[in-house]
Each structure stands twice: as C-alpha cells, then as structure tokens.
C-alpha cells in the first residue's frame, strides 16, 4: 500500500530525484562546517583598481612594453646622456673636423698615407731608372729605343713589382699590417691623440664630428631632447585647453555647445603650417628687440628658444587642441546623463565641481590616450619645421636641422643623415605603439 502511495517520477522530467539523493546522505553531512572549511569556501581576494587592471593588461601587450622601454631609453639618452659626455653641442674642436665614427686615427692615417706615397714613388723611380739604362744601352749600340720597348719595360717592371716581398707592397691593408696600425673604434683629433699619448683620459667622438668639429653624439642627444621636450610640452598644452573647452561645451549643451563647436570647425579649416610661419614672422622683430634690450633669465630663454619655436608653441595653443576637445565633448555628453551626475546636481553641486570631480575623472582614459598620441604629432611637426629651416634657432640642434645640414655631404658623410633620421623614426614609432597599447589597456570595452 505504501508502495502504491509513492509519487512516481515522470520519466521526461528534468527535476532531480530528491528521494534518491536524500537516501545517500548521512548524519555527518548535516554537521556544522568547520572554520577551515569556511575559509576555504569563501576566499578573500584583493580588490583591483582601474589603474591596476589597466597596468595588468598593458603588461600583457609585448609591443607596447617594448615601446615603453625604447621611450625610457631615449629619455635617458636625451636628458642624462649630455651629462656624461664632456663636449658641448656648440663646442668647436680644432683639428677634429669631419671625423668618421669608425676610422683610423688621424696620426695613424698620416703615417699610412706617407708610407704608401713613398713606396709608390720608389716604384716609379725604379721604372724610370730601368728605362734610362735601356736607352743608354741602345745608344751605345747605335740603336733607338722605341715606344713599344719602353711599354714592354714598364709592363715587366709592373709584373716584377707584384712579385716583390710584402714589405714593398703598396696595398693599404698590407701596409697597415706592416706598420702595426690598428683600426680605431672611434675618432680623435690631433690634440686628443697627444693627450691620449700622455696618459690622459679622452672621451671619443662616438658618432664622429661635423665640418666644424662639433661632436655629433652630443648634438643628437640635444636634438632628441628638443624633440621630446617640444612633444611633451605641446601635448600638455593641448590637454589643458582641449579638456577644459570640450568639457564645458559638452556639459552646457544647447546654444552654448552649438556656438563653441562652430568655433572648433573654423579652427579646423585654418592651415597650421601657415599660422606657424605667420606668427614666427610677426614675433621675430619683437623678440629680437627684446633680446637686444632685455636682461635676466627671460632674455636667455627667449634667445635660446628663438622666435620659430615660441611661435610653434603658440600655434599649438591656438589650433591643436580641437581634436582633444571633440573627444572630451563626446564623452561628457554621454556621462552627464548618468545617475551620479543627476544626484550631484540635486545635492547642489556647481557645474564646475561636477565637471572637475565627476565628468573629467571618468574621461581620464580617453584623456591619457589622446595626450600620448599627440606627442609624436608634435615631434614630427617640430622636426619638419626645423628641416625647412623655420624650427629651432642655431646653434641649438634639432633632429630635423641636423638632417638638413647633412644633405650637403650626403654622399661623403651619409651617416650624418642616417643617425638623426633613425632616432627620429624610432622615437615617433615608439610613442605611436605605446599610445595604441595604452588605448587598448584603458578602454573598458576591451576589458577581459
């Protein structure tokens, strides 16, 4: 009878058979859990902040981390390197003009040239002596030495000279080996060779020197410093103006946003290069007069920077912030509809506080990425203007101006063009790759 009252389970039901499960349980299964079992069941994990999570994802991006390492190396190369080299970027070294990065020392090269010239002269004298002796013998016999005979004598002398011993060979490699001349890794001037022979410590010209005897390594360091300083300062200037303008435009909305965006569209239509040239032309007489009549540290700063570089910063402040403002405006338009912004407004927070404490802090990812990607653009603009001769003022070097100076001797001293060009290309590529990796790491939509 009890068997008939038992509820039969439907064969197609997805519910588990509770009665069979309960039959398998024992009284020990109903005892309270121990403290160790509780600790193992609920594991406390350290909370991960937004920046820690972004750094974790950035470290997984191999290309971005390599680019970051290159940026750090270039930063040390540009800002710490000049402190380790005893030369100045505008220091002229007499006797060290046009040194190659990898060449024979000037003293050894002089010995080599003199020895080769002496041996060549002795060979010529030997041939002339043979011809004179042959003419004398022919005259004694009453004969005349023809041009064919003279050519035969020269040919035999040339063949015989090739069979001479090694100490009479005029091949440069053989003469160097005989004289014990070893190829130097870096160049030295005559004065530096004398100091080196006296036992003094002399720093080599690693990248050689230019036509004025200025060390190319130091000039490249200062050129990289100028490029990175211009790129970072311009990016910060763009960040300051663009973030402020875009956040105000997006938060206010309505007619204010419409008017501000029409201004942005007008600025987009202005050619940046023309503005830089016009500002530089207008500022040049003013700054020249200030340098001639002014005094103090400001005079030295203006004299070092020059009108072209100052006009470049002014152009960045006037024109290059529009892209940043557009990006921040779009983010603010989305964020200002969120509940926490409505709550802050209901509690009486002012518009400036909402923008500063709530909106911009939630746009930090886009701000950092856009600022980082603005740096290579500014570096390229500065190098391009310096290449055209409207960038930094001499004698302050720039990678672009060094490339321009190298064009005059491109076929003889090709390395002078290759070195700054490679460093500039690597710098721009590293900033672009790091900016792309930073964008992937800070984008919450790509969070895994």
């Amino acid at each position: 009878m009890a068997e008939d009252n038992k509820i039969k389970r439907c064969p197609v039901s997805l519910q588990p058979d509770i009665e069979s499960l309960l039959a398998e349980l024992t009284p020990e299964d109903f005892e309270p859990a121990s403290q160790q079992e509780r600790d193992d069941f609920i594991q406390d994990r350290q909370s991960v902040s937004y920046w820690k999570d972004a750094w974790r994802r950035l470290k997984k991006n191999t290309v971005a981390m390599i680019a970051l390492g290159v940026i750090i190396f270039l930063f040390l190369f540009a800002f710490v390197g000049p402190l380790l080299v005893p030369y100045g970027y505008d220091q002229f070294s007499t006797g060290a003009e046009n040194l190659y990065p990898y060449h024979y020392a000037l003293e050894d090269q002089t010995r080599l040239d003199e020895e080769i010239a002496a041996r060549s002269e002795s060979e010529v004298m030997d041939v002339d002596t043979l011809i004179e002796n042959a003419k004398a013998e022919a005259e004694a016999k009453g004969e005349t030495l023809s041009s064919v005979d003279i050519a035969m004598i020269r040919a035999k002398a040339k063949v015989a000279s090739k069979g001479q011993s090694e100490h009479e060979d005029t091949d440069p490699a053989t003469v160097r080996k005989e004289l014990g001349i070893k190829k130097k890794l870096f160049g030295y001037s005559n004065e530096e060779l004398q100091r080196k022979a006296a036992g003094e410590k002399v720093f080599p010209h690693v990248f050689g020197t230019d036509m004025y005897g200025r060390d190319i390594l130091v000039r490249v360091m200062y050129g990289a410093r100028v490029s990175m300083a211009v790129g970072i300062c311009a990016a910060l200037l763009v960040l300051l103006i663009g973030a402020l303008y875009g956040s105000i435009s997006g938060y206010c909305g309505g007619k204010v946003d419409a008017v501000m965006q029409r201004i942005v569209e007008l600025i987009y239509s202005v050619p940046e290069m023309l503005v830089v040239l016009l500002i530089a032309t207008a500022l040049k007489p003013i700054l020249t007069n200030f340098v001639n009549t002014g005094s103090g540290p400001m005079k030295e700063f203006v004299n070092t920077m020059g009108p072209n570089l100052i006009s470049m910063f002014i152009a960045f402040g006037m024109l290059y912030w529009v892209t940043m403002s557009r990006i921040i405006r779009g983010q603010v338009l989305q964020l200002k509809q969120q509940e926490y912004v409505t709550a802050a407004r209901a509690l009486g927070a002012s518009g400036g506080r909402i923008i500063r404490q709530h909106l911009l802090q939630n746009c930090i990812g886009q701000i950092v990425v856009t600022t980082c990607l603005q740096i290579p653009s500014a570096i390229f603009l500065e190098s391009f203007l310096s290449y055209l001769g409207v960038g930094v003022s001499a004698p302050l070097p720039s990678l672009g101006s060094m490339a321009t100076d190298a064009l005059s001797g491109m076929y003889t001293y090709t390395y002078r063009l290759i070195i700054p060009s490679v460093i500039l290309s690597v710098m721009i590529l590293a900033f672009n790759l790091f900016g792309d990796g930073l964008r992937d790491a800070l984008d919450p939509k790509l969070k895994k």
Side-chain angles (χ1 to χ4, degrees), residues 246-260:
S247 59
I248 293 175
S249 176
Y251 180 76
C252 294
K255 294 182 179 180
V256 176
D257 180 46
V259 172
M260 295 180 73

Side-chain angles (χ1 to χ4, degrees), residues 266-278:
L266 288 175
I267 294 176
Y268 262 122
S269 63
V270 177
E272 298 93 348
M273 197 68 63
L274 179 61
V275 172
V276 173
L277 297 177
L278 290 176

Side-chain angles (χ1 to χ4, degrees), residues 132-145:
E132 292 297 331
N133 293 337
K135 286 182 179 180
E137 293 178 0
E139 289 178 357
K141 296 179 181 180
E143 300 176 356
T144 303
L145 196 65

Side-chain angles (χ1 to χ4, degrees), residues 88-141:
Y89 68 87
D90 57 349
Q91 177 181 342
F92 293 84
S93 300
T94 305
E97 295 84 359
N98 298 322
L99 288 179
Y100 284 92
Y102 186 75
H103 74 305
Y104 302 100
L106 298 180
E107 189 180 68
D108 294 339
Q109 186 67 45
T110 302
R111 289 172 54 204
L112 179 64
D113 295 340
E114 290 177 354
E115 182 68 21
I116 292 176
R119 295 188 181 186
S120 299
E121 185 178 353
S122 66
E123 288 181 6
V124 173
M125 290 179 60
D126 292 341
V127 173
D128 294 338
T129 302
L130 290 175
I131 293 175
E132 292 297 331
N133 293 337
K135 286 182 179 180
E137 293 178 0
E139 289 178 357
K141 296 179 181 180

Side-chain angles (χ1 to χ4, degrees), residues 13 75 96 107 138 176 201 229 282 289 313 347 351 371 396 407 411 435 444-445:
S13 176
F75 185 85
E107 189 180 68
R176 282 197 304 271
K201 188 176 181 180
N289 184 41
F313 281 109
L347 291 173
T371 304
L396 186 65
L407 291 178
Y411 296 104
K445 297 178 182 179

Side-chain angles (χ1 to χ4, degrees), residues 68-309:
L68 178 60
V70 172
I71 292 172
I72 295 174
F73 171 77
L74 290 175
F75 185 85
L76 297 175
F77 175 79
F79 290 91
V80 181
L83 302 176
L84 306 177
V85 181
Y87 307 112
Y89 68 87
D90 57 349
Q91 177 181 342
F92 293 84
S93 300
T94 305
E97 295 84 359
N98 298 322
L99 288 179
Y100 284 92
Y102 186 75
H103 74 305
Y104 302 100
L106 298 180
E107 189 180 68
D108 294 339
Q109 186 67 45
T110 302
R111 289 172 54 204
L112 179 64
D113 295 340
E114 290 177 354
E115 182 68 21
I116 292 176
R119 295 188 181 186
S120 299
E121 185 178 353
S122 66
E123 288 181 6
V124 173
M125 290 179 60
D126 292 341
V127 173
D128 294 338
T129 302
L130 290 175
I131 293 175
E132 292 297 331
N133 293 337
K135 286 182 179 180
E137 293 178 0
E139 289 178 357
K141 296 179 181 180
E143 300 176 356
T144 303
L145 196 65
S146 64
S147 59
V148 177
D149 296 331
I150 294 175
M152 290 288 293
I153 294 172
R154 290 186 181 277
K156 290 179 180 180
K158 186 175 181 181
V159 173
S161 65
K162 290 184 178 180
Q164 291 177 350
S165 59
E166 289 188 2
H167 71 276
E168 294 180 348
D169 196 351
T170 57
D171 180 64
T174 305
V175 177
R176 282 197 304 271
K177 187 175 181 180
E178 293 175 13
L179 298 178
I181 298 176
K182 296 182 180 180
K183 209 167 190 180
K184 307 296 181 182
L185 182 59
F186 305 116
Y188 298 92
S189 65
N190 291 326
E191 180 183 354
E192 291 165 345
L193 285 172
Q194 296 175 2
R195 290 164 52 195
K196 193 174 180 65
E200 297 182 23
K201 188 176 181 180
V202 181
F203 194 88
H205 300 282
V206 180
F207 288 165
T209 58
D210 60 6
M211 60 185 299
Y212 302 108
R214 297 176 297 188
D215 187 78
I216 295 179
L217 173 63
V218 177
R219 292 182 62 80
V220 168
M221 289 178 177
Y222 274 93
R225 175 187 292 187
V226 169
S227 297
M228 295 185 73
V230 169
I232 294 174
C233 293
L236 294 177
L237 188 64
V238 168
L239 166 64
L240 180 63
I241 301 175
L244 181 62
Y245 190 93
S247 59
I248 293 175
S249 176
Y251 180 76
C252 294
K255 294 182 179 180
V256 176
D257 180 46
V259 172
M260 295 180 73
Q261 291 309 304
R262 299 298 80 76
I263 296 175
V264 168
E265 292 171 0
L266 288 175
I267 294 176
Y268 262 122
S269 63
V270 177
E272 298 93 348
M273 197 68 63
L274 179 61
V275 172
V276 173
L277 297 177
L278 290 176
I279 295 176
T281 304
L283 287 179
K284 189 171 184 179
I286 300 174
L287 296 178
T288 303
N289 184 41
F290 175 76
V291 170
N292 294 333
T293 60
S295 60
M298 193 64 185
K299 173 186 174 181
E300 296 296 330
F301 174 76
V302 173
N303 189 28
T304 303
M305 296 286 287
N308 295 328
L309 204 56

